[in-house]
Amino acid sequence: MTLQAVAAGRFKLDGLVNFATSAAIEEQGASLLLNAGDNCWEIDLSGISHADSSALSVFLSWIRLAEKNQKSIGFTGMPDELEALAQVCGIQPLLESVSCRQS
């Protein structure tokens, strides 16, 4: 599990995101995003192999981080399983409302 920069303002999250890994992913990702220097953070989630609800808390944390630092953030490639979980938890509209807006 890791978040990697793949291009300017573009990141990809790979691997397992669960209660055992989410705190490390959140912290590693926050550091990477803040140090990237981009105004827009587009995070590709298609590399997630499995995730539980803790993944959603990681995404919410990164959304708050983006707002706090006046950055745009968006998510692409969300796996169906995670999208269904977000819908059950009632945060699907929030995840869909954020987008990476180039300034």
Side-chain angles (χ1 to χ4, degrees), residues 3-6 9-12 32-33 36 38 41-44:
L3 182 69
Q4 299 178 13
V6 293
R10 302 180 123 201
F11 305 87
K12 184 166 186 173
L32 177 66
L33 294 169
D38 304 300
W41 304 333
E42 184 177 287
I43 301 174
D44 179 0

Side-chain angles (χ1 to χ4, degrees), residues 1-2 5 10 12-13 16 21 36 49 55 58 68 77 95 97 103:
M1 52 54 188
T2 185
R10 302 180 123 201
K12 184 166 186 173
L13 182 60
L16 173 69
T21 64
S49 59
V58 172
K68 180 179 176 184
L95 294 175
S97 73
S103 53

Side-chain angles (χ1 to χ4, degrees), residues 37-41 65-73 101:
D38 304 300
N39 289 324
C40 175
W41 304 333
L65 183 70
E67 290 174 352
K68 180 179 176 184
N69 290 281
Q70 300 179 341
K71 308 287 186 182
S72 297
I73 188 168
R101 296 174 301 276

Side-chain angles (χ1 to χ4, degrees), residues 14-89:
D14 291 310
L16 173 69
V17 184
N18 64 13
F19 289 106
T21 64
S22 61
I25 291 171
E26 191 281 332
E27 184 177 323
Q28 179 258 339
S31 177
L32 177 66
L33 294 169
L34 288 173
N35 289 318
D38 304 300
N39 289 324
C40 175
W41 304 333
E42 184 177 287
I43 301 174
D44 179 0
L45 306 174
S46 65
I48 295 175
S49 59
H50 181 73
D52 61 25
S53 61
S54 68
L56 301 176
S57 71
V58 172
F59 305 154
L60 294 175
S61 176
W62 289 345
I63 290 170
R64 286 190 301 271
L65 183 70
E67 290 174 352
K68 180 179 176 184
N69 290 281
Q70 300 179 341
K71 308 287 186 182
S72 297
I73 188 168
F75 300 95
T76 63
M78 184 174 294
D80 291 343
E81 176 184 62
L82 196 53
E83 192 169 328
L85 187 58
Q87 194 165 19
V88 168
C89 293

